[in-house]
Amino acid sequence: MTYPGSGGQGQPNDPYQQPGGQPGYPQQGGYPQQGGQPGYPQQGGYPQQQGYPQGYPQTGPQPTQQYGQPVEQPFGRPQGDPYGQQQFGAYGYPAPEQPKKRKGLVIGVVAAVIAVAAGAGVTVWALNRGSAPAGAQSPTAAATSLVNALGQGDVAGLLTGLAPAERDLMTTLNSETTKELQRLEIYKADADPNKLQGFELKTEGLQFDEAGAEKVNDHLTITKLVAGKLTISSDASKLPLTEEFIEAAFPRGLDAKPQTETVDIAEIVKDNDGKAIRIATVNVDGEWYPSLFYTIADYALQESDNSWPKTPIAAKGADSPNQAVREMAEAGLDANLERVIELLPPDEMAVIHDLGPMLVEMAKKDGAEPTGVKITKLETETTEVEGATKVLLKEFEAEMEGEKVSVTKDGECYSAEAQGERKKFCADDAAAEIGGKRMKPEAKKALTNLVKGMIANTGVVTTQVDGKWYVSPIRSLTDIQVTALKSLDPADVKALIKMLK
């Protein structure tokens, strides 16, 4: 398979990179962030962005705060209290910050058109990875088919219409998350992952300016949405939450009043100085697909008055998972952003490869300098996860100007040594520190289970493409979320909820 983005004839490049916080790395907010109430981590399958010039790319993994998007975490729930009314905003997803102009509405429509099916707090869905991608013969057809799938509440159609690598990232996260939330008795066992629940989007008369479409290169075209209407409705009472979870988390019940609003796209375009809503589409193996990641990157470029680079940074993987992780760490410490980008998966992170030359130049202008830290030892072990290999730390040593630091994993503990002092960090200690001296036994057990699971199973996820290994920042961050969920049992969830009251 050929993909756009990482350069070179026949090199695998997929347009599904997610912008990240540190150069080349997705931010955990862009990727499923953990917080709010323990046990139901916040998801953000998409990258959060802090502003392109200051360090784009930032992932995962939820469209950009920088531009006031209403849907900040398209894959899961809003940050903070999951399903809390203050988190839903007006339409069942987090309320946007009020921008000075109406740029928030522009990005909001893009988010609705591309990813509202996974809008924060309104649905969790999954799709078998074996489902064949459904590409289109033109950029406009690709964007239109996506909108049609949304209008029909067709989650399966939505996902198969996305670019293959982007689809696989979403479905891997959501299939595992759904399964864990059902196991934890947060979601009902019969919740249908392929249907939108608690949310409805209807479209009417959508029109694209085909003549105005921008062909960036042979694999990327920006389509222009200029007219039509979106009617957005939400009803939190239809969320697939179990009665037990609602009673525990919301003892006074969900204040779930149905809400509906209609957005006139032509009015948004008019208020945006006549600028159409931009939806990026990418060509993979001769077929066109809409891409959320490229759309986010395109808006970031528009905001910063930058253009797409003419040439990408080609992918250059390592010979093993351990080597990929070590080289990525060394490149980061050496402020070698070009090598960081080379080690990103060409199928999942094509957008970063496409943006690479500009990102490297921006890092140089910002004065990025090597830290002087040298890794002298890195021992790891690996375990298989869905479609990838996770690298787990066993022992790490580094030095700088004669000073040495070491970190060793010891069962359920980490030991760190620096300047002759040694300190041990264990799950029981962490639980006591988080919960305090008056913490109830069941809450301590829950926190201990959570920390134990995170210590034992948190690692860096790598993927293999054409025989070479790459570090996947998106999968690494989403794996943290899944690891947290797997560390708990239903009783732990209840105990954590009680502890937070």
Side-chain angles (χ1 to χ4, degrees):
M1 179 179 286
T2 58
Y3 310 86
S6 62
Q9 182 67 25
Q11 291 209 15
N13 305 294
D14 230 298
Y16 327 122
Q17 271 55 356
Q18 306 203 18
Q22 299 298 324
Y25 297 91
Q27 235 189 9
Q28 220 168 350
Y31 267 52
Q33 300 186 356
Q34 305 197 359
Q37 297 195 15
Y40 1 104
Q42 305 158 356
Q43 300 185 4
Y46 303 137
Q48 294 184 356
Q49 318 203 2
Q50 301 300 326
Y52 197 86
Q54 285 77 30
Y56 181 93
Q58 301 214 55
T59 133
Q62 305 171 12
T64 73
Q65 289 181 332
Q66 173 80 8
Y67 315 118
Q69 297 170 338
V71 182
E72 291 196 56
Q73 296 178 328
F75 286 169
R77 292 163 299 287
Q79 298 182 359
D81 192 1
Y83 311 112
Q85 283 68 43
Q86 72 275 21
Q87 304 290 349
F88 288 123
Y91 320 121
Y93 44 76
E97 296 179 4
Q98 295 299 321
K100 295 180 180 179
K101 298 182 180 179
R102 299 194 70 187
K103 292 178 183 176
L105 278 177
V106 175
I107 302 297
V109 171
V110 172
V113 170
I114 294 183
V116 81
V122 298
T123 186
V124 171
W125 35 258
L127 186 69
N128 292 331
R129 290 172 56 87
S131 298
Q137 297 303 308
S138 71
T140 299
T144 302
S145 65
L146 180 75
V147 174
N148 289 339
L150 282 171
Q152 296 168 8
D154 180 9
V155 176
L158 168 70
L159 291 182
T160 55
L162 292 175
E166 190 166 326
R167 175 205 67 197
D168 288 348
L169 281 172
M170 294 181 188
T171 57
T172 296
L173 168 64
N174 284 283
S175 62
E176 293 199 16
T177 300
T178 300
K179 180 173 64 179
E180 290 304 314
L181 291 177
Q182 288 175 326
R183 181 185 63 82
L184 292 172
E185 300 175 4
I186 295 173
Y187 281 135
K188 297 176 181 176
D190 62 351
D192 187 346
N194 288 323
K195 291 187 180 296
L196 303 181
Q197 301 181 57
F199 182 88
E200 185 179 56
L201 172 70
K202 292 182 179 180
T203 62
E204 179 183 353
L206 295 181
Q207 297 179 19
F208 289 84
D209 178 10
E210 294 195 47
E214 297 178 17
K215 183 178 179 179
V216 177
N217 51 44
D218 62 351
H219 60 264
L220 174 61
T221 294
I222 310 299
T223 61
K224 306 290 184 66
L225 181 61
V226 294
K229 292 184 179 180
L230 298 176
T231 299
I232 306 166
S233 304
S234 67
D235 185 350
S237 67
K238 295 182 180 179
L239 292 170
L241 302 174
T242 63
E243 292 297 327
E244 292 79 4
F245 176 75
I246 293 176
E247 289 176 3
F250 310 102
R252 298 181 181 179
L254 281 171
D255 182 14
K257 297 179 181 179
Q259 299 185 58
T260 299
E261 182 162 326
T262 298
V263 177
D264 188 325
I265 293 171
E267 286 297 318
I268 294 177
V269 171
K270 179 181 177 181
D271 292 345
N272 195 38
D273 299 325
K275 296 178 182 178
I277 293 172
R278 303 167 66 90
I279 300 176
T281 60
V282 294
N283 189 301
V284 180
D285 287 345
E287 293 191 317
W288 289 91
Y289 303 85
S291 170
L292 176 67
F293 305 156
Y294 270 86
T295 298
I296 292 173
D298 181 67
Y299 266 98
L301 288 170
Q302 292 291 308
E303 284 292 312
S304 59
D305 293 323
N306 282 301
S307 301
W308 286 93
K310 300 296 183 182
T311 58
I313 289 179
K316 295 180 183 179
D319 293 332
S320 68
N322 176 76
Q323 191 65 24
V325 171
R326 178 161 186 156
E327 289 188 23
M328 176 70 81
E330 290 175 337
L333 292 171
D334 291 340
N336 186 352
L337 180 56
E338 182 171 356
R339 183 60 184 142
V340 167
I341 294 173
E342 289 176 346
L343 286 163
L344 297 176
D347 54 345
E348 296 174 3
M349 303 295 290
V351 69
I352 304 302
H353 288 279
D354 268 346
L355 293 169
M358 184 183 66
L359 299 178
V360 170
E361 186 61 29
M362 290 167 59
K364 290 179 180 177
K365 290 181 179 179
D366 288 342
E369 296 180 355
T371 62
V373 177
K374 300 297 179 183
I375 297 174
T376 56
K377 185 177 184 179
L378 180 61
E379 290 187 5
T380 62
E381 58 187 347
T382 60
T383 183
E384 296 303 307
V385 294
E386 186 173 354
T389 298
K390 181 161 58 174
V391 178
L392 302 167
L393 176 67
K394 292 178 63 178
E395 188 173 358
F396 169 85
E397 291 181 1
E399 63 178 37
M400 178 181 178
E401 298 178 351
E403 296 289 341
K404 295 183 178 181
V405 176
S406 67
V407 178
T408 304
K409 183 179 178 181
D410 181 13
E412 297 172 354
C413 304
Y414 275 110
S415 296
E417 185 173 350
Q419 297 180 340
E421 294 186 11
R422 188 175 183 84
K423 188 170 183 180
K424 202 169 186 179
F425 174 84
C426 298
D428 289 336
D429 300 329
E433 202 164 316
I434 295 171
K437 296 181 179 179
R438 298 182 180 181
M439 179 171 49
K440 294 183 178 180
E442 58 269 23
K444 181 177 181 180
K445 170 183 169 293
L447 285 174
T448 301
N449 287 343
L450 179 61
V451 178
K452 280 182 179 179
M454 300 303 289
I455 289 177
N457 300 302
T458 297
V460 177
V461 178
T462 64
T463 59
Q464 189 177 35
V465 181
D466 288 354
K468 293 294 184 178
W469 289 91
Y470 300 87
V471 174
S472 174
I474 304 297
R475 291 179 187 269
S476 297
L477 289 169
T478 57
D479 183 74
I480 291 173
Q481 169 183 303
V482 174
T483 296
L485 291 175
K486 288 183 176 180
S487 302
L488 301 169
D489 60 35
D492 292 335
V493 173
K494 295 182 178 66
L496 292 173
I497 292 173
K498 289 181 180 179
M499 185 184 77
L500 295 175
K501 289 183 178 179

